[in-house]
């Protein structure tokens, strides 16, 4: 026979793991300084400009 599993405990553990993952993603997104945010935005704009500049015309 298999091991007896408490489904409520299983659901709570699963939900807790999902909440931890969401919290980690939010910390990475919102827990940055203004300088870090502006640096990331500048890097993204530069990469987009480089990509658009090297686009081939038909």
């Amino acid at each position: 026979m298999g091991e007896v599993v408490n489904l409520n405990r299983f659901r709570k553990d699963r939900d807790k793991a999902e909440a931890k993952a969401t919290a980690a993603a939010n910390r990475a997104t919102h827990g940055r300084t203004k300088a870090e945010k502006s640096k990331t935005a500048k890097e993204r704009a530069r990469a987009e400009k480089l990509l658009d500049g090297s686009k081939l015309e038909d």
Side-chain angles (χ1 to χ4, degrees):
M1 303 259 346
E3 185 178 334
V4 177
V5 178
N6 184 342
L7 294 179
N8 287 330
R9 176 83 283 163
F10 178 77
R11 282 189 208 107
K12 284 182 181 181
D13 290 343
R14 182 192 61 205
D15 292 344
K16 195 176 288 189
E18 288 176 7
K20 273 188 178 182
T22 303
N26 285 339
R27 278 194 303 273
T29 304
H30 300 290
R32 300 182 305 158
T33 63
K34 189 172 185 177
E36 290 172 333
K37 290 177 187 176
S38 66
K39 180 181 176 187
T40 303
K42 286 179 185 177
E43 288 174 354
R44 187 177 295 127
R46 181 179 173 275
E48 187 176 320
K49 182 178 177 184
L50 179 66
L51 185 64
D52 287 343
S54 57
K55 191 182 288 187
L56 296 176
E57 299 295 328
D58 287 336

Short mmCIF file of all heavy atoms in Angstrom, two decimals:
data_model
loop_
_atom_site.label_atom_id
_atom_site.label_comp_id
_atom_site.label_asym_id
_atom_site.label_seq_id
_atom_site.Cartn_x
_atom_site.Cartn_y
_atom_site.Cartn_z
N MET A 1 0.85 -1.18 0.00
CA MET A 1 0.00 0.00 0.00
C MET A 1 0.89 1.24 0.00
O MET A 1 1.99 1.23 0.52
CB MET A 1 -0.90 0.02 1.23
CG MET A 1 -1.79 -1.18 1.40
SD MET A 1 -3.52 -1.09 0.94
CE MET A 1 -3.98 0.53 0.70
N GLY A 2 0.35 2.28 -0.54
CA GLY A 2 1.09 3.54 -0.59
C GLY A 2 1.01 4.29 0.72
O GLY A 2 0.31 3.91 1.66
N GLU A 3 1.74 5.34 0.78
CA GLU A 3 1.78 6.18 1.98
C GLU A 3 0.52 7.04 2.04
O GLU A 3 0.05 7.55 1.02
CB GLU A 3 3.01 7.08 1.92
CG GLU A 3 3.23 7.91 3.15
CD GLU A 3 4.49 8.74 3.06
OE1 GLU A 3 5.41 8.35 2.32
OE2 GLU A 3 4.53 9.78 3.71
N VAL A 4 -0.01 7.23 3.23
CA VAL A 4 -1.20 8.06 3.42
C VAL A 4 -0.77 9.52 3.32
O VAL A 4 0.19 9.94 3.95
CB VAL A 4 -1.86 7.77 4.79
CG1 VAL A 4 -3.03 8.70 5.01
CG2 VAL A 4 -2.29 6.33 4.87
N VAL A 5 -1.50 10.29 2.50
CA VAL A 5 -1.14 11.68 2.27
C VAL A 5 -2.30 12.57 2.68
O VAL A 5 -3.45 12.33 2.31
CB VAL A 5 -0.82 11.91 0.77
CG1 VAL A 5 -0.50 13.37 0.52
CG2 VAL A 5 0.31 11.02 0.32
N ASN A 6 -2.00 13.59 3.44
CA ASN A 6 -3.00 14.56 3.83
C ASN A 6 -3.10 15.58 2.69
O ASN A 6 -2.16 16.33 2.43
CB ASN A 6 -2.58 15.25 5.14
CG ASN A 6 -3.63 16.21 5.63
OD1 ASN A 6 -4.51 16.62 4.89
ND2 ASN A 6 -3.53 16.57 6.89
N LEU A 7 -4.22 15.59 1.98
CA LEU A 7 -4.36 16.45 0.81
C LEU A 7 -4.35 17.92 1.17
O LEU A 7 -3.85 18.75 0.40
CB LEU A 7 -5.65 16.09 0.06
CG LEU A 7 -5.66 14.71 -0.56
CD1 LEU A 7 -7.00 14.47 -1.25
CD2 LEU A 7 -4.53 14.53 -1.54
N ASN A 8 -4.88 18.28 2.33
CA ASN A 8 -4.85 19.67 2.75
C ASN A 8 -3.41 20.14 2.94
O ASN A 8 -3.05 21.24 2.54
CB ASN A 8 -5.64 19.88 4.04
CG ASN A 8 -7.13 19.79 3.80
OD1 ASN A 8 -7.62 20.13 2.72
ND2 ASN A 8 -7.86 19.33 4.79
N ARG A 9 -2.58 19.32 3.54
CA ARG A 9 -1.17 19.65 3.75
C ARG A 9 -0.48 19.79 2.40
O ARG A 9 0.34 20.69 2.19
CB ARG A 9 -0.53 18.56 4.61
CG ARG A 9 0.94 18.70 4.84
CD ARG A 9 1.28 19.66 5.98
NE ARG A 9 1.14 21.02 5.54
CZ ARG A 9 1.04 22.10 6.31
NH1 ARG A 9 1.05 22.01 7.59
NH2 ARG A 9 0.91 23.28 5.82
N PHE A 10 -0.78 18.87 1.50
CA PHE A 10 -0.19 18.90 0.17
C PHE A 10 -0.55 20.20 -0.56
O PHE A 10 0.30 20.87 -1.14
CB PHE A 10 -0.66 17.70 -0.65
CG PHE A 10 -0.14 17.68 -2.05
CD1 PHE A 10 1.16 17.30 -2.31
CD2 PHE A 10 -0.96 18.07 -3.11
CE1 PHE A 10 1.65 17.28 -3.61
CE2 PHE A 10 -0.48 18.06 -4.41
CZ PHE A 10 0.83 17.67 -4.65
N ARG A 11 -1.83 20.60 -0.50
CA ARG A 11 -2.28 21.84 -1.15
C ARG A 11 -1.61 23.06 -0.54
O ARG A 11 -1.18 23.97 -1.24
CB ARG A 11 -3.79 21.98 -1.05
CG ARG A 11 -4.53 21.13 -2.03
CD ARG A 11 -6.02 21.48 -2.03
NE ARG A 11 -6.76 20.31 -2.42
CZ ARG A 11 -7.50 19.57 -1.60
NH1 ARG A 11 -7.64 19.90 -0.34
NH2 ARG A 11 -8.11 18.50 -2.05
N LYS A 12 -1.52 23.07 0.79
CA LYS A 12 -0.89 24.20 1.47
C LYS A 12 0.59 24.32 1.09
O LYS A 12 1.08 25.42 0.85
CB LYS A 12 -1.03 24.06 2.99
CG LYS A 12 -2.40 24.39 3.50
CD LYS A 12 -2.44 24.28 5.01
CE LYS A 12 -3.82 24.57 5.55
NZ LYS A 12 -3.86 24.48 7.02
N ASP A 13 1.28 23.19 1.04
CA ASP A 13 2.70 23.21 0.65
C ASP A 13 2.87 23.69 -0.78
O ASP A 13 3.78 24.47 -1.08
CB ASP A 13 3.31 21.82 0.81
CG ASP A 13 3.47 21.41 2.26
OD1 ASP A 13 3.42 22.30 3.15
OD2 ASP A 13 3.65 20.20 2.52
N ARG A 14 1.98 23.23 -1.68
CA ARG A 14 2.06 23.66 -3.08
C ARG A 14 1.80 25.16 -3.20
O ARG A 14 2.53 25.87 -3.89
CB ARG A 14 1.03 22.88 -3.90
CG ARG A 14 1.07 23.22 -5.39
CD ARG A 14 -0.13 22.68 -6.13
NE ARG A 14 -1.34 23.28 -5.56
CZ ARG A 14 -2.54 22.73 -5.61
NH1 ARG A 14 -2.71 21.57 -6.16
NH2 ARG A 14 -3.58 23.34 -5.08
N ASP A 15 0.78 25.65 -2.51
CA ASP A 15 0.45 27.07 -2.57
C ASP A 15 1.57 27.92 -1.97
O ASP A 15 1.88 29.00 -2.48
CB ASP A 15 -0.86 27.36 -1.83
CG ASP A 15 -2.07 26.75 -2.54
OD1 ASP A 15 -1.93 26.39 -3.73
OD2 ASP A 15 -3.13 26.65 -1.90
N LYS A 16 2.19 27.42 -0.91
CA LYS A 16 3.28 28.15 -0.28
C LYS A 16 4.48 28.25 -1.23
O LYS A 16 5.13 29.29 -1.32
CB LYS A 16 3.69 27.46 1.01
CG LYS A 16 4.54 28.31 1.92
CD LYS A 16 4.84 27.60 3.23
CE LYS A 16 3.59 27.56 4.08
NZ LYS A 16 3.85 27.08 5.45
N ALA A 17 4.77 27.18 -1.95
CA ALA A 17 5.87 27.18 -2.91
C ALA A 17 5.59 28.16 -4.05
O ALA A 17 6.49 28.89 -4.49
CB ALA A 17 6.09 25.78 -3.46
N GLU A 18 4.35 28.20 -4.54
CA GLU A 18 3.98 29.15 -5.59
C GLU A 18 4.10 30.59 -5.10
O GLU A 18 4.58 31.47 -5.82
CB GLU A 18 2.55 28.88 -6.07
CG GLU A 18 2.40 27.63 -6.87
CD GLU A 18 0.94 27.36 -7.24
OE1 GLU A 18 0.08 28.21 -6.99
OE2 GLU A 18 0.68 26.27 -7.79
N ALA A 19 3.69 30.83 -3.86
CA ALA A 19 3.79 32.18 -3.29
C ALA A 19 5.24 32.60 -3.15
O ALA A 19 5.58 33.77 -3.41
CB ALA A 19 3.09 32.22 -1.94
N LYS A 20 6.11 31.67 -2.77
CA LYS A 20 7.54 31.99 -2.66
C LYS A 20 8.12 32.36 -4.02
O LYS A 20 8.91 33.28 -4.14
CB LYS A 20 8.31 30.80 -2.09
CG LYS A 20 8.36 30.77 -0.61
CD LYS A 20 9.32 29.68 -0.14
CE LYS A 20 9.43 29.67 1.37
NZ LYS A 20 10.38 28.66 1.83
N ALA A 21 7.74 31.62 -5.05
CA ALA A 21 8.24 31.91 -6.39
C ALA A 21 7.76 33.28 -6.87
O ALA A 21 8.54 34.06 -7.44
CB ALA A 21 7.79 30.83 -7.36
N THR A 22 6.50 33.60 -6.62
CA THR A 22 5.96 34.90 -7.01
C THR A 22 6.65 36.02 -6.24
O THR A 22 6.99 37.05 -6.82
CB THR A 22 4.44 34.94 -6.73
OG1 THR A 22 3.81 33.87 -7.43
CG2 THR A 22 3.84 36.25 -7.17
N ALA A 23 6.89 35.80 -4.96
CA ALA A 23 7.55 36.81 -4.14
C ALA A 23 8.97 37.06 -4.63
O ALA A 23 9.43 38.21 -4.67
CB ALA A 23 7.56 36.38 -2.69
N ALA A 24 9.66 36.01 -5.01
CA ALA A 24 11.03 36.17 -5.51
C ALA A 24 11.04 36.97 -6.81
O ALA A 24 11.90 37.83 -7.01
CB ALA A 24 11.67 34.79 -5.72
N ALA A 25 10.09 36.69 -7.68
CA ALA A 25 10.01 37.44 -8.94
C ALA A 25 9.69 38.91 -8.67
O ALA A 25 10.26 39.80 -9.31
CB ALA A 25 8.95 36.83 -9.84
N ASN A 26 8.79 39.17 -7.73
CA ASN A 26 8.44 40.55 -7.40
C ASN A 26 9.62 41.28 -6.76
O ASN A 26 9.83 42.47 -7.03
CB ASN A 26 7.23 40.60 -6.47
CG ASN A 26 5.95 40.30 -7.20
OD1 ASN A 26 5.87 40.43 -8.41
ND2 ASN A 26 4.95 39.88 -6.46
N ARG A 27 10.39 40.59 -5.93
CA ARG A 27 11.57 41.22 -5.32
C ARG A 27 12.57 41.59 -6.39
O ARG A 27 13.19 42.66 -6.33
CB ARG A 27 12.22 40.27 -4.31
CG ARG A 27 11.57 40.28 -2.96
CD ARG A 27 12.46 39.59 -1.93
NE ARG A 27 12.79 38.22 -2.27
CZ ARG A 27 12.05 37.16 -1.97
NH1 ARG A 27 10.92 37.33 -1.31
NH2 ARG A 27 12.44 35.96 -2.31
N ALA A 28 12.73 40.73 -7.39
CA ALA A 28 13.68 41.02 -8.46
C ALA A 28 13.21 42.20 -9.29
O ALA A 28 14.01 43.03 -9.74
CB ALA A 28 13.85 39.80 -9.34
N THR A 29 11.91 42.32 -9.50
CA THR A 29 11.37 43.39 -10.33
C THR A 29 11.29 44.71 -9.59
O THR A 29 11.72 45.75 -10.09
CB THR A 29 9.96 43.02 -10.82
OG1 THR A 29 10.04 41.78 -11.52
CG2 THR A 29 9.42 44.07 -11.76
N HIS A 30 10.73 44.70 -8.39
CA HIS A 30 10.42 45.94 -7.69
C HIS A 30 11.45 46.32 -6.63
O HIS A 30 11.43 47.45 -6.16
CB HIS A 30 9.05 45.82 -7.01
CG HIS A 30 7.95 45.57 -7.99
ND1 HIS A 30 7.53 46.51 -8.88
CD2 HIS A 30 7.21 44.47 -8.22
CE1 HIS A 30 6.55 46.00 -9.62
NE2 HIS A 30 6.34 44.76 -9.24
N GLY A 31 12.34 45.44 -6.28
CA GLY A 31 13.29 45.73 -5.22
C GLY A 31 14.60 46.29 -5.72
O GLY A 31 15.66 45.97 -5.18
N ARG A 32 14.55 47.11 -6.75
CA ARG A 32 15.78 47.67 -7.33
C ARG A 32 15.81 49.18 -7.13
O ARG A 32 14.78 49.83 -6.99
CB ARG A 32 15.86 47.35 -8.82
CG ARG A 32 15.85 45.87 -9.10
CD ARG A 32 15.99 45.55 -10.55
NE ARG A 32 14.96 46.22 -11.34
CZ ARG A 32 15.05 46.47 -12.63
NH1 ARG A 32 16.10 46.11 -13.29
NH2 ARG A 32 14.07 47.08 -13.27
N THR A 33 17.01 49.73 -7.15
CA THR A 33 17.16 51.17 -7.00
C THR A 33 16.80 51.86 -8.31
O THR A 33 16.72 51.23 -9.37
CB THR A 33 18.60 51.54 -6.62
OG1 THR A 33 19.47 51.16 -7.67
CG2 THR A 33 19.01 50.85 -5.33
N LYS A 34 16.63 53.15 -8.23
CA LYS A 34 16.28 53.92 -9.42
C LYS A 34 17.42 53.84 -10.46
O LYS A 34 17.17 53.75 -11.66
CB LYS A 34 16.02 55.37 -9.03
CG LYS A 34 15.46 56.22 -10.13
CD LYS A 34 15.05 57.59 -9.61
CE LYS A 34 14.38 58.39 -10.70
NZ LYS A 34 13.91 59.68 -10.19
N ALA A 35 18.65 53.84 -9.98
CA ALA A 35 19.80 53.74 -10.89
C ALA A 35 19.81 52.41 -11.63
O ALA A 35 20.09 52.36 -12.84
CB ALA A 35 21.10 53.92 -10.11
N GLU A 36 19.51 51.34 -10.92
CA GLU A 36 19.46 50.02 -11.57
C GLU A 36 18.36 49.96 -12.61
O GLU A 36 18.53 49.38 -13.69
CB GLU A 36 19.26 48.92 -10.53
CG GLU A 36 20.44 48.70 -9.62
CD GLU A 36 20.14 47.75 -8.49
OE1 GLU A 36 18.96 47.66 -8.08
OE2 GLU A 36 21.08 47.10 -8.01
N LYS A 37 17.20 50.53 -12.28
CA LYS A 37 16.08 50.53 -13.23
C LYS A 37 16.42 51.33 -14.48
O LYS A 37 16.15 50.90 -15.60
CB LYS A 37 14.84 51.12 -12.58
CG LYS A 37 14.22 50.24 -11.51
CD LYS A 37 13.04 50.92 -10.87
CE LYS A 37 12.52 50.13 -9.69
NZ LYS A 37 11.44 50.82 -8.99
N SER A 38 17.04 52.50 -14.30
CA SER A 38 17.38 53.33 -15.46
C SER A 38 18.48 52.66 -16.30
O SER A 38 18.45 52.74 -17.53
CB SER A 38 17.81 54.73 -15.03
OG SER A 38 19.02 54.68 -14.31
N LYS A 39 19.42 51.99 -15.64
CA LYS A 39 20.47 51.28 -16.38
C LYS A 39 19.86 50.18 -17.24
O LYS A 39 20.22 50.03 -18.41
CB LYS A 39 21.48 50.69 -15.40
CG LYS A 39 22.60 49.95 -16.08
CD LYS A 39 23.56 49.36 -15.07
CE LYS A 39 24.62 48.54 -15.77
NZ LYS A 39 25.47 47.83 -14.83
N THR A 40 18.95 49.41 -16.67
CA THR A 40 18.29 48.35 -17.41
C THR A 40 17.50 48.91 -18.58
O THR A 40 17.52 48.36 -19.69
CB THR A 40 17.36 47.55 -16.48
OG1 THR A 40 18.13 47.05 -15.39
CG2 THR A 40 16.71 46.40 -17.21
N ALA A 41 16.80 50.03 -18.35
CA ALA A 41 16.01 50.65 -19.43
C ALA A 41 16.92 51.14 -20.55
O ALA A 41 16.60 50.97 -21.73
CB ALA A 41 15.19 51.80 -18.87
N LYS A 42 18.05 51.73 -20.20
CA LYS A 42 19.00 52.21 -21.22
C LYS A 42 19.58 51.04 -22.00
O LYS A 42 19.73 51.13 -23.23
CB LYS A 42 20.12 53.01 -20.57
CG LYS A 42 19.69 54.37 -20.11
CD LYS A 42 20.84 55.13 -19.46
CE LYS A 42 20.37 56.45 -18.90
NZ LYS A 42 21.46 57.17 -18.20
N GLU A 43 19.92 49.96 -21.32
CA GLU A 43 20.45 48.78 -22.01
C GLU A 43 19.42 48.19 -22.96
O GLU A 43 19.75 47.80 -24.08
CB GLU A 43 20.88 47.73 -20.99
CG GLU A 43 22.13 48.08 -20.23
CD GLU A 43 22.46 47.08 -19.14
OE1 GLU A 43 21.64 46.16 -18.89
OE2 GLU A 43 23.53 47.22 -18.53
N ARG A 44 18.17 48.14 -22.52
CA ARG A 44 17.10 47.60 -23.36
C ARG A 44 16.90 48.49 -24.59
O ARG A 44 16.74 48.00 -25.71
CB ARG A 44 15.81 47.49 -22.56
CG ARG A 44 14.70 46.80 -23.32
CD ARG A 44 13.45 46.63 -22.49
NE ARG A 44 13.70 45.73 -21.36
CZ ARG A 44 13.44 46.02 -20.09
NH1 ARG A 44 12.89 47.17 -19.77
NH2 ARG A 44 13.70 45.16 -19.13
N ALA A 45 16.91 49.82 -24.39
CA ALA A 45 16.73 50.75 -25.51
C ALA A 45 17.89 50.64 -26.49
O ALA A 45 17.69 50.67 -27.70
CB ALA A 45 16.60 52.16 -24.99
N ARG A 46 19.10 50.50 -25.96
CA ARG A 46 20.28 50.39 -26.82
C ARG A 46 20.21 49.10 -27.66
O ARG A 46 20.48 49.11 -28.86
CB ARG A 46 21.55 50.38 -25.98
CG ARG A 46 22.82 50.29 -26.78
CD ARG A 46 24.03 50.31 -25.83
NE ARG A 46 25.24 50.05 -26.56
CZ ARG A 46 25.71 48.82 -26.85
NH1 ARG A 46 25.06 47.76 -26.43
NH2 ARG A 46 26.83 48.66 -27.53
N ALA A 47 19.83 48.00 -27.03
CA ALA A 47 19.72 46.73 -27.75
C ALA A 47 18.64 46.81 -28.82
O ALA A 47 18.81 46.30 -29.94
CB ALA A 47 19.43 45.61 -26.76
N GLU A 48 17.52 47.45 -28.49
CA GLU A 48 16.43 47.59 -29.47
C GLU A 48 16.87 48.46 -30.64
O GLU A 48 16.58 48.15 -31.80
CB GLU A 48 15.21 48.20 -28.79
CG GLU A 48 13.98 48.23 -29.66
CD GLU A 48 12.77 48.74 -28.90
OE1 GLU A 48 12.60 48.38 -27.73
OE2 GLU A 48 12.00 49.50 -29.51
N LYS A 49 17.59 49.54 -30.35
CA LYS A 49 18.07 50.43 -31.40
C LYS A 49 19.07 49.71 -32.31
O LYS A 49 19.03 49.84 -33.52
CB LYS A 49 18.73 51.65 -30.76
CG LYS A 49 19.21 52.68 -31.74
CD LYS A 49 19.81 53.88 -31.02
CE LYS A 49 20.37 54.89 -32.00
NZ LYS A 49 21.04 56.00 -31.30
N LEU A 50 19.95 48.91 -31.70
CA LEU A 50 20.93 48.15 -32.47
C LEU A 50 20.22 47.13 -33.36
O LEU A 50 20.59 46.96 -34.53
CB LEU A 50 21.89 47.44 -31.53
CG LEU A 50 22.97 46.58 -32.17
CD1 LEU A 50 23.94 47.45 -32.96
CD2 LEU A 50 23.72 45.79 -31.12
N LEU A 51 19.22 46.47 -32.81
CA LEU A 51 18.48 45.47 -33.58
C LEU A 51 17.72 46.12 -34.73
O LEU A 51 17.73 45.62 -35.85
CB LEU A 51 17.51 44.72 -32.66
CG LEU A 51 16.75 43.57 -33.29
CD1 LEU A 51 17.72 42.48 -33.71
CD2 LEU A 51 15.76 43.01 -32.29
N ASP A 52 17.06 47.26 -34.46
CA ASP A 52 16.33 47.95 -35.51
C ASP A 52 17.27 48.51 -36.58
O ASP A 52 16.94 48.54 -37.76
CB ASP A 52 15.50 49.09 -34.93
CG ASP A 52 14.29 48.58 -34.17
OD1 ASP A 52 13.93 47.41 -34.37
OD2 ASP A 52 13.72 49.36 -33.38
N GLY A 53 18.45 48.92 -36.16
CA GLY A 53 19.43 49.48 -37.10
C GLY A 53 20.01 48.44 -38.03
O GLY A 53 20.43 48.76 -39.15
N SER A 54 20.06 47.19 -37.61
CA SER A 54 20.63 46.14 -38.45
C SER A 54 19.57 45.32 -39.17
O SER A 54 19.86 44.27 -39.70
CB SER A 54 21.52 45.23 -37.60
OG SER A 54 20.79 44.68 -36.53
N LYS A 55 18.34 45.85 -39.20
CA LYS A 55 17.25 45.15 -39.88
C LYS A 55 17.43 45.28 -41.40
O LYS A 55 17.77 46.35 -41.91
CB LYS A 55 15.91 45.77 -39.48
CG LYS A 55 14.70 44.98 -39.92
CD LYS A 55 13.42 45.66 -39.53
CE LYS A 55 13.20 45.56 -38.05
NZ LYS A 55 11.88 46.08 -37.66
N LEU A 56 17.23 44.21 -42.10
CA LEU A 56 17.35 44.22 -43.56
C LEU A 56 16.05 44.71 -44.18
O LEU A 56 14.97 44.30 -43.77
CB LEU A 56 17.66 42.82 -44.08
CG LEU A 56 19.01 42.22 -43.64
CD1 LEU A 56 19.12 40.80 -44.16
CD2 LEU A 56 20.16 43.06 -44.15
N GLU A 57 16.19 45.54 -45.17
CA GLU A 57 15.01 46.07 -45.88
C GLU A 57 14.72 45.17 -47.08
O GLU A 57 15.60 44.68 -47.75
CB GLU A 57 15.27 47.49 -46.36
CG GLU A 57 15.54 48.48 -45.24
CD GLU A 57 14.35 48.68 -44.32
OE1 GLU A 57 13.21 48.59 -44.81
OE2 GLU A 57 14.58 48.90 -43.12
N ASP A 58 13.46 44.98 -47.39
CA ASP A 58 13.06 44.16 -48.54
C ASP A 58 12.97 45.00 -49.77
O ASP A 58 12.61 46.09 -49.85
CB ASP A 58 11.69 43.49 -48.28
CG ASP A 58 11.84 42.37 -47.27
OD1 ASP A 58 12.96 41.84 -47.15
OD2 ASP A 58 10.84 42.04 -46.63
#
